Amino acid sequence: MTELWSESGAGVLRLPSGRLVRGRGLRHPLDPAVPTPSYGLYLLGKQPPEVPWESGWLRWPDFRLPSDRAAARGVLADAWERAAGERVEIACGGGRGRTGTALACLAVLDGVPAAEAVAYVRAHYDRRAVETPWQSRYVRRFGET
């Protein structure tokens, strides 16, 4: 089994189940002293650069919503499942809007009520996470499907 994230690490969100997921902005360099992810999910409008660990890409333009909502549900559910035993990283350009939205969706999958998931991520990850009203609405609706 892979060693998991340190709960005190930068950008690490503890979900109610105890799963740890790291959110990150790709514009910020990785700290060489911190372990690398075992899996990264990258939320970008264009294909992300290659990384030396297993990764996935969800087309998600900045300040928008995922291009394919059904695919988004699948890859977010996969990331949530993997977080039970792997170092999962969720990242976009700045690490707040798309990343915060995705982390809030993982919180919903983890049992946080959809109406409370944005507040949960803002309290435990970044107070400015989930940047637009439509991203907040997406999280609320994520719980309905």
Side-chain angles (χ1 to χ4, degrees), residues 75-97:
V75 297
L76 291 170
D78 178 59
W80 177 78
E81 289 283 343
R82 286 172 174 263
E86 297 180 48
R87 283 189 309 272
V88 173
E89 168 178 89
I90 308 283
C92 64
R96 289 199 176 115

mmCIF file with all atom_site columns, all heavy atoms in Angstrom, residues 75-97:
data_model
loop_
_atom_site.group_PDB
_atom_site.id
_atom_site.type_symbol
_atom_site.label_atom_id
_atom_site.label_alt_id
_atom_site.label_comp_id
_atom_site.label_asym_id
_atom_site.label_entity_id
_atom_site.label_seq_id
_atom_site.pdbx_PDB_ins_code
_atom_site.Cartn_x
_atom_site.Cartn_y
_atom_site.Cartn_z
_atom_site.occupancy
_atom_site.B_iso_or_equiv
_atom_site.pdbx_formal_charge
_atom_site.auth_seq_id
_atom_site.auth_comp_id
_atom_site.auth_asym_id
_atom_site.auth_atom_id
_atom_site.pdbx_PDB_model_num
ATOM 1   N N   . VAL A 1 75 ? -14.787 10.204 -13.471 1.00 0.00 ? 75 VAL A N   1
ATOM 2   C CA  . VAL A 1 75 ? -13.394 10.394 -13.046 1.00 0.00 ? 75 VAL A CA  1
ATOM 3   C C   . VAL A 1 75 ? -13.310 10.910 -11.614 1.00 0.00 ? 75 VAL A C   1
ATOM 4   O O   . VAL A 1 75 ? -12.369 10.569 -10.888 1.00 0.00 ? 75 VAL A O   1
ATOM 5   C CB  . VAL A 1 75 ? -12.568 11.281 -14.016 1.00 0.00 ? 75 VAL A CB  1
ATOM 6   C CG1 . VAL A 1 75 ? -12.461 10.644 -15.380 1.00 0.00 ? 75 VAL A CG1 1
ATOM 7   C CG2 . VAL A 1 75 ? -13.114 12.675 -14.118 1.00 0.00 ? 75 VAL A CG2 1
ATOM 8   N N   . LEU A 1 76 ? -14.296 11.694 -11.183 1.00 0.00 ? 76 LEU A N   1
ATOM 9   C CA  . LEU A 1 76 ? -14.285 12.142 -9.783  1.00 0.00 ? 76 LEU A CA  1
ATOM 10  C C   . LEU A 1 76 ? -14.575 10.977 -8.841  1.00 0.00 ? 76 LEU A C   1
ATOM 11  O O   . LEU A 1 76 ? -13.942 10.862 -7.787  1.00 0.00 ? 76 LEU A O   1
ATOM 12  C CB  . LEU A 1 76 ? -15.280 13.288 -9.587  1.00 0.00 ? 76 LEU A CB  1
ATOM 13  C CG  . LEU A 1 76 ? -14.884 14.601 -10.269 1.00 0.00 ? 76 LEU A CG  1
ATOM 14  C CD1 . LEU A 1 76 ? -16.043 15.599 -10.220 1.00 0.00 ? 76 LEU A CD1 1
ATOM 15  C CD2 . LEU A 1 76 ? -13.622 15.193 -9.664  1.00 0.00 ? 76 LEU A CD2 1
ATOM 16  N N   . ALA A 1 77 ? -15.496 10.105 -9.227  1.00 0.00 ? 77 ALA A N   1
ATOM 17  C CA  . ALA A 1 77 ? -15.764 8.915  -8.408  1.00 0.00 ? 77 ALA A CA  1
ATOM 18  C C   . ALA A 1 77 ? -14.528 8.018  -8.341  1.00 0.00 ? 77 ALA A C   1
ATOM 19  O O   . ALA A 1 77 ? -14.198 7.478  -7.281  1.00 0.00 ? 77 ALA A O   1
ATOM 20  C CB  . ALA A 1 77 ? -16.964 8.150  -8.971  1.00 0.00 ? 77 ALA A CB  1
ATOM 21  N N   . ASP A 1 78 ? -13.822 7.900  -9.455  1.00 0.00 ? 78 ASP A N   1
ATOM 22  C CA  . ASP A 1 78 ? -12.586 7.109  -9.473  1.00 0.00 ? 78 ASP A CA  1
ATOM 23  C C   . ASP A 1 78 ? -11.535 7.733  -8.548  1.00 0.00 ? 78 ASP A C   1
ATOM 24  O O   . ASP A 1 78 ? -10.876 7.020  -7.782  1.00 0.00 ? 78 ASP A O   1
ATOM 25  C CB  . ASP A 1 78 ? -12.053 7.011  -10.909 1.00 0.00 ? 78 ASP A CB  1
ATOM 26  C CG  . ASP A 1 78 ? -10.751 6.238  -10.981 1.00 0.00 ? 78 ASP A CG  1
ATOM 27  O OD1 . ASP A 1 78 ? -10.719 5.059  -10.569 1.00 0.00 ? 78 ASP A OD1 1
ATOM 28  O OD2 . ASP A 1 78 ? -9.742  6.822  -11.454 1.00 0.00 ? 78 ASP A OD2 1
ATOM 29  N N   . ALA A 1 79 ? -11.375 9.047  -8.604  1.00 0.00 ? 79 ALA A N   1
ATOM 30  C CA  . ALA A 1 79 ? -10.397 9.725  -7.738  1.00 0.00 ? 79 ALA A CA  1
ATOM 31  C C   . ALA A 1 79 ? -10.757 9.513  -6.264  1.00 0.00 ? 79 ALA A C   1
ATOM 32  O O   . ALA A 1 79 ? -9.883  9.252  -5.434  1.00 0.00 ? 79 ALA A O   1
ATOM 33  C CB  . ALA A 1 79 ? -10.335 11.217 -8.071  1.00 0.00 ? 79 ALA A CB  1
ATOM 34  N N   . TRP A 1 80 ? -12.056 9.606  -5.952  1.00 0.00 ? 80 TRP A N   1
ATOM 35  C CA  . TRP A 1 80 ? -12.499 9.392  -4.573  1.00 0.00 ? 80 TRP A CA  1
ATOM 36  C C   . TRP A 1 80 ? -12.190 7.961  -4.123  1.00 0.00 ? 80 TRP A C   1
ATOM 37  O O   . TRP A 1 80 ? -11.682 7.749  -3.020  1.00 0.00 ? 80 TRP A O   1
ATOM 38  C CB  . TRP A 1 80 ? -13.994 9.700  -4.467  1.00 0.00 ? 80 TRP A CB  1
ATOM 39  C CG  . TRP A 1 80 ? -14.553 9.441  -3.103  1.00 0.00 ? 80 TRP A CG  1
ATOM 40  C CD1 . TRP A 1 80 ? -14.427 10.239 -2.001  1.00 0.00 ? 80 TRP A CD1 1
ATOM 41  C CD2 . TRP A 1 80 ? -15.313 8.307  -2.689  1.00 0.00 ? 80 TRP A CD2 1
ATOM 42  N NE1 . TRP A 1 80 ? -15.070 9.643  -0.922  1.00 0.00 ? 80 TRP A NE1 1
ATOM 43  C CE2 . TRP A 1 80 ? -15.628 8.466  -1.325  1.00 0.00 ? 80 TRP A CE2 1
ATOM 44  C CE3 . TRP A 1 80 ? -15.771 7.165  -3.346  1.00 0.00 ? 80 TRP A CE3 1
ATOM 45  C CZ2 . TRP A 1 80 ? -16.359 7.534  -0.610  1.00 0.00 ? 80 TRP A CZ2 1
ATOM 46  C CZ3 . TRP A 1 80 ? -16.510 6.241  -2.627  1.00 0.00 ? 80 TRP A CZ3 1
ATOM 47  C CH2 . TRP A 1 80 ? -16.793 6.434  -1.275  1.00 0.00 ? 80 TRP A CH2 1
ATOM 48  N N   . GLU A 1 81 ? -12.463 6.987  -4.978  1.00 0.00 ? 81 GLU A N   1
ATOM 49  C CA  . GLU A 1 81 ? -12.158 5.583  -4.655  1.00 0.00 ? 81 GLU A CA  1
ATOM 50  C C   . GLU A 1 81 ? -10.658 5.408  -4.423  1.00 0.00 ? 81 GLU A C   1
ATOM 51  O O   . GLU A 1 81 ? -10.235 4.772  -3.456  1.00 0.00 ? 81 GLU A O   1
ATOM 52  C CB  . GLU A 1 81 ? -12.613 4.654  -5.791  1.00 0.00 ? 81 GLU A CB  1
ATOM 53  C CG  . GLU A 1 81 ? -14.105 4.501  -5.909  1.00 0.00 ? 81 GLU A CG  1
ATOM 54  C CD  . GLU A 1 81 ? -14.700 3.582  -4.861  1.00 0.00 ? 81 GLU A CD  1
ATOM 55  O OE1 . GLU A 1 81 ? -13.962 2.801  -4.231  1.00 0.00 ? 81 GLU A OE1 1
ATOM 56  O OE2 . GLU A 1 81 ? -15.922 3.659  -4.670  1.00 0.00 ? 81 GLU A OE2 1
ATOM 57  N N   . ARG A 1 82 ? -9.849  5.949  -5.323  1.00 0.00 ? 82 ARG A N   1
ATOM 58  C CA  . ARG A 1 82 ? -8.395  5.806  -5.218  1.00 0.00 ? 82 ARG A CA  1
ATOM 59  C C   . ARG A 1 82 ? -7.851  6.434  -3.935  1.00 0.00 ? 82 ARG A C   1
ATOM 60  O O   . ARG A 1 82 ? -6.870  5.954  -3.356  1.00 0.00 ? 82 ARG A O   1
ATOM 61  C CB  . ARG A 1 82 ? -7.716  6.474  -6.414  1.00 0.00 ? 82 ARG A CB  1
ATOM 62  C CG  . ARG A 1 82 ? -7.848  5.720  -7.709  1.00 0.00 ? 82 ARG A CG  1
ATOM 63  C CD  . ARG A 1 82 ? -7.310  6.606  -8.846  1.00 0.00 ? 82 ARG A CD  1
ATOM 64  N NE  . ARG A 1 82 ? -7.269  5.929  -10.105 1.00 0.00 ? 82 ARG A NE  1
ATOM 65  C CZ  . ARG A 1 82 ? -6.181  5.336  -10.613 1.00 0.00 ? 82 ARG A CZ  1
ATOM 66  N NH1 . ARG A 1 82 ? -5.044  5.340  -9.953  1.00 0.00 ? 82 ARG A NH1 1
ATOM 67  N NH2 . ARG A 1 82 ? -6.233  4.740  -11.777 1.00 0.00 ? 82 ARG A NH2 1
ATOM 68  N N   . ALA A 1 83 ? -8.472  7.523  -3.482  1.00 0.00 ? 83 ALA A N   1
ATOM 69  C CA  . ALA A 1 83 ? -7.977  8.242  -2.303  1.00 0.00 ? 83 ALA A CA  1
ATOM 70  C C   . ALA A 1 83 ? -8.024  7.389  -1.035  1.00 0.00 ? 83 ALA A C   1
ATOM 71  O O   . ALA A 1 83 ? -7.366  7.714  -0.053  1.00 0.00 ? 83 ALA A O   1
ATOM 72  C CB  . ALA A 1 83 ? -8.766  9.535  -2.099  1.00 0.00 ? 83 ALA A CB  1
ATOM 73  N N   . ALA A 1 84 ? -8.752  6.288  -1.065  1.00 0.00 ? 84 ALA A N   1
ATOM 74  C CA  . ALA A 1 84 ? -8.790  5.402  0.105   1.00 0.00 ? 84 ALA A CA  1
ATOM 75  C C   . ALA A 1 84 ? -7.436  4.754  0.353   1.00 0.00 ? 84 ALA A C   1
ATOM 76  O O   . ALA A 1 84 ? -7.119  4.404  1.492   1.00 0.00 ? 84 ALA A O   1
ATOM 77  C CB  . ALA A 1 84 ? -9.865  4.329  -0.093  1.00 0.00 ? 84 ALA A CB  1
ATOM 78  N N   . GLY A 1 85 ? -6.609  4.606  -0.694  1.00 0.00 ? 85 GLY A N   1
ATOM 79  C CA  . GLY A 1 85 ? -5.327  3.939  -0.494  1.00 0.00 ? 85 GLY A CA  1
ATOM 80  C C   . GLY A 1 85 ? -4.188  4.494  -1.315  1.00 0.00 ? 85 GLY A C   1
ATOM 81  O O   . GLY A 1 85 ? -3.118  3.896  -1.366  1.00 0.00 ? 85 GLY A O   1
ATOM 82  N N   . GLU A 1 86 ? -4.402  5.627  -1.980  1.00 0.00 ? 86 GLU A N   1
ATOM 83  C CA  . GLU A 1 86 ? -3.367  6.226  -2.823  1.00 0.00 ? 86 GLU A CA  1
ATOM 84  C C   . GLU A 1 86 ? -3.246  7.715  -2.523  1.00 0.00 ? 86 GLU A C   1
ATOM 85  O O   . GLU A 1 86 ? -4.163  8.330  -1.979  1.00 0.00 ? 86 GLU A O   1
ATOM 86  C CB  . GLU A 1 86 ? -3.728  6.064  -4.308  1.00 0.00 ? 86 GLU A CB  1
ATOM 87  C CG  . GLU A 1 86 ? -3.815  4.646  -4.796  1.00 0.00 ? 86 GLU A CG  1
ATOM 88  C CD  . GLU A 1 86 ? -4.181  4.593  -6.279  1.00 0.00 ? 86 GLU A CD  1
ATOM 89  O OE1 . GLU A 1 86 ? -3.558  5.314  -7.082  1.00 0.00 ? 86 GLU A OE1 1
ATOM 90  O OE2 . GLU A 1 86 ? -5.104  3.841  -6.623  1.00 0.00 ? 86 GLU A OE2 1
ATOM 91  N N   . ARG A 1 87 ? -2.112  8.292  -2.936  1.00 0.00 ? 87 ARG A N   1
ATOM 92  C CA  . ARG A 1 87 ? -1.920  9.747  -2.855  1.00 0.00 ? 87 ARG A CA  1
ATOM 93  C C   . ARG A 1 87 ? -2.532  10.360 -4.114  1.00 0.00 ? 87 ARG A C   1
ATOM 94  O O   . ARG A 1 87 ? -1.917  10.371 -5.177  1.00 0.00 ? 87 ARG A O   1
ATOM 95  C CB  . ARG A 1 87 ? -0.439  10.104 -2.759  1.00 0.00 ? 87 ARG A CB  1
ATOM 96  C CG  . ARG A 1 87 ? 0.168   9.883  -1.403  1.00 0.00 ? 87 ARG A CG  1
ATOM 97  C CD  . ARG A 1 87 ? 1.583   10.467 -1.308  1.00 0.00 ? 87 ARG A CD  1
ATOM 98  N NE  . ARG A 1 87 ? 2.437   10.051 -2.394  1.00 0.00 ? 87 ARG A NE  1
ATOM 99  C CZ  . ARG A 1 87 ? 3.192   8.945  -2.407  1.00 0.00 ? 87 ARG A CZ  1
ATOM 100 N NH1 . ARG A 1 87 ? 3.187   8.135  -1.372  1.00 0.00 ? 87 ARG A NH1 1
ATOM 101 N NH2 . ARG A 1 87 ? 3.941   8.656  -3.437  1.00 0.00 ? 87 ARG A NH2 1
ATOM 102 N N   . VAL A 1 88 ? -3.742  10.876 -3.979  1.00 0.00 ? 88 VAL A N   1
ATOM 103 C CA  . VAL A 1 88 ? -4.462  11.461 -5.105  1.00 0.00 ? 88 VAL A CA  1
ATOM 104 C C   . VAL A 1 88 ? -4.318  12.979 -5.054  1.00 0.00 ? 88 VAL A C   1
ATOM 105 O O   . VAL A 1 88 ? -4.512  13.594 -4.002  1.00 0.00 ? 88 VAL A O   1
ATOM 106 C CB  . VAL A 1 88 ? -5.955  11.066 -5.079  1.00 0.00 ? 88 VAL A CB  1
ATOM 107 C CG1 . VAL A 1 88 ? -6.746  11.816 -6.142  1.00 0.00 ? 88 VAL A CG1 1
ATOM 108 C CG2 . VAL A 1 88 ? -6.100  9.555  -5.255  1.00 0.00 ? 88 VAL A CG2 1
ATOM 109 N N   . GLU A 1 89 ? -3.999  13.542 -6.213  1.00 0.00 ? 89 GLU A N   1
ATOM 110 C CA  . GLU A 1 89 ? -3.886  14.989 -6.370  1.00 0.00 ? 89 GLU A CA  1
ATOM 111 C C   . GLU A 1 89 ? -4.936  15.432 -7.387  1.00 0.00 ? 89 GLU A C   1
ATOM 112 O O   . GLU A 1 89 ? -5.089  14.819 -8.435  1.00 0.00 ? 89 GLU A O   1
ATOM 113 C CB  . GLU A 1 89 ? -2.480  15.324 -6.886  1.00 0.00 ? 89 GLU A CB  1
ATOM 114 C CG  . GLU A 1 89 ? -2.336  16.753 -7.371  1.00 0.00 ? 89 GLU A CG  1
ATOM 115 C CD  . GLU A 1 89 ? -0.923  17.061 -7.815  1.00 0.00 ? 89 GLU A CD  1
ATOM 116 O OE1 . GLU A 1 89 ? -0.589  16.845 -8.995  1.00 0.00 ? 89 GLU A OE1 1
ATOM 117 O OE2 . GLU A 1 89 ? -0.153  17.522 -6.960  1.00 0.00 ? 89 GLU A OE2 1
ATOM 118 N N   . ILE A 1 90 ? -5.652  16.495 -7.061  1.00 0.00 ? 90 ILE A N   1
ATOM 119 C CA  . ILE A 1 90 ? -6.593  17.133 -7.978  1.00 0.00 ? 90 ILE A CA  1
ATOM 120 C C   . ILE A 1 90 ? -6.018  18.520 -8.238  1.00 0.00 ? 90 ILE A C   1
ATOM 121 O O   . ILE A 1 90 ? -5.714  19.249 -7.284  1.00 0.00 ? 90 ILE A O   1
ATOM 122 C CB  . ILE A 1 90 ? -8.000  17.279 -7.352  1.00 0.00 ? 90 ILE A CB  1
ATOM 123 C CG1 . ILE A 1 90 ? -8.518  15.964 -6.795  1.00 0.00 ? 90 ILE A CG1 1
ATOM 124 C CG2 . ILE A 1 90 ? -8.961  17.921 -8.350  1.00 0.00 ? 90 ILE A CG2 1
ATOM 125 C CD1 . ILE A 1 90 ? -9.041  14.981 -7.786  1.00 0.00 ? 90 ILE A CD1 1
ATOM 126 N N   . ALA A 1 91 ? -5.864  18.895 -9.507  1.00 0.00 ? 91 ALA A N   1
ATOM 127 C CA  . ALA A 1 91 ? -5.220  20.181 -9.777  1.00 0.00 ? 91 ALA A CA  1
ATOM 128 C C   . ALA A 1 91 ? -5.753  20.837 -11.040 1.00 0.00 ? 91 ALA A C   1
ATOM 129 O O   . ALA A 1 91 ? -6.126  20.172 -12.001 1.00 0.00 ? 91 ALA A O   1
ATOM 130 C CB  . ALA A 1 91 ? -3.705  19.993 -9.893  1.00 0.00 ? 91 ALA A CB  1
ATOM 131 N N   . CYS A 1 92 ? -5.764  22.167 -10.999 1.00 0.00 ? 92 CYS A N   1
ATOM 132 C CA  . CYS A 1 92 ? -6.058  22.996 -12.167 1.00 0.00 ? 92 CYS A CA  1
ATOM 133 C C   . CYS A 1 92 ? -4.964  24.064 -12.215 1.00 0.00 ? 92 CYS A C   1
ATOM 134 O O   . CYS A 1 92 ? -3.951  23.930 -11.536 1.00 0.00 ? 92 CYS A O   1
ATOM 135 C CB  . CYS A 1 92 ? -7.463  23.603 -12.067 1.00 0.00 ? 92 CYS A CB  1
ATOM 136 S SG  . CYS A 1 92 ? -7.682  24.761 -10.690 1.00 0.00 ? 92 CYS A SG  1
ATOM 137 N N   . GLY A 1 93 ? -5.156  25.109 -12.963 1.00 0.00 ? 93 GLY A N   1
ATOM 138 C CA  . GLY A 1 93 ? -4.127  26.138 -13.071 1.00 0.00 ? 93 GLY A CA  1
ATOM 139 C C   . GLY A 1 93 ? -3.793  26.806 -11.746 1.00 0.00 ? 93 GLY A C   1
ATOM 140 O O   . GLY A 1 93 ? -2.657  26.829 -11.304 1.00 0.00 ? 93 GLY A O   1
ATOM 141 N N   . GLY A 1 94 ? -4.820  27.367 -11.095 1.00 0.00 ? 94 GLY A N   1
ATOM 142 C CA  . GLY A 1 94 ? -4.584  28.100 -9.859  1.00 0.00 ? 94 GLY A CA  1
ATOM 143 C C   . GLY A 1 94 ? -4.863  27.323 -8.586  1.00 0.00 ? 94 GLY A C   1
ATOM 144 O O   . GLY A 1 94 ? -4.451  27.733 -7.511  1.00 0.00 ? 94 GLY A O   1
ATOM 145 N N   . GLY A 1 95 ? -5.606  26.233 -8.688  1.00 0.00 ? 95 GLY A N   1
ATOM 146 C CA  . GLY A 1 95 ? -5.876  25.394 -7.529  1.00 0.00 ? 95 GLY A CA  1
ATOM 147 C C   . GLY A 1 95 ? -7.061  25.821 -6.690  1.00 0.00 ? 95 GLY A C   1
ATOM 148 O O   . GLY A 1 95 ? -7.237  25.317 -5.576  1.00 0.00 ? 95 GLY A O   1
ATOM 149 N N   . ARG A 1 96 ? -7.916  26.724 -7.217  1.00 0.00 ? 96 ARG A N   1
ATOM 150 C CA  . ARG A 1 96 ? -9.049  27.190 -6.415  1.00 0.00 ? 96 ARG A CA  1
ATOM 151 C C   . ARG A 1 96 ? -10.408 26.889 -7.037  1.00 0.00 ? 96 ARG A C   1
ATOM 152 O O   . ARG A 1 96 ? -11.243 26.261 -6.415  1.00 0.00 ? 96 ARG A O   1
ATOM 153 C CB  . ARG A 1 96 ? -8.933  28.695 -6.187  1.00 0.00 ? 96 ARG A CB  1
ATOM 154 C CG  . ARG A 1 96 ? -7.831  29.049 -5.238  1.00 0.00 ? 96 ARG A CG  1
ATOM 155 C CD  . ARG A 1 96 ? -8.042  30.449 -4.683  1.00 0.00 ? 96 ARG A CD  1
ATOM 156 N NE  . ARG A 1 96 ? -7.023  30.733 -3.699  1.00 0.00 ? 96 ARG A NE  1
ATOM 157 C CZ  . ARG A 1 96 ? -6.102  31.664 -3.840  1.00 0.00 ? 96 ARG A CZ  1
ATOM 158 N NH1 . ARG A 1 96 ? -6.088  32.424 -4.910  1.00 0.00 ? 96 ARG A NH1 1
ATOM 159 N NH2 . ARG A 1 96 ? -5.210  31.858 -2.897  1.00 0.00 ? 96 ARG A NH2 1
ATOM 160 N N   . GLY A 1 97 ? -10.651 27.380 -8.236  1.00 0.00 ? 97 GLY A N   1
ATOM 161 C CA  . GLY A 1 97 ? -11.978 27.261 -8.833  1.00 0.00 ? 97 GLY A CA  1
ATOM 162 C C   . GLY A 1 97 ? -12.341 25.848 -9.229  1.00 0.00 ? 97 GLY A C   1
ATOM 163 O O   . GLY A 1 97 ? -13.205 25.214 -8.612  1.00 0.00 ? 97 GLY A O   1
#
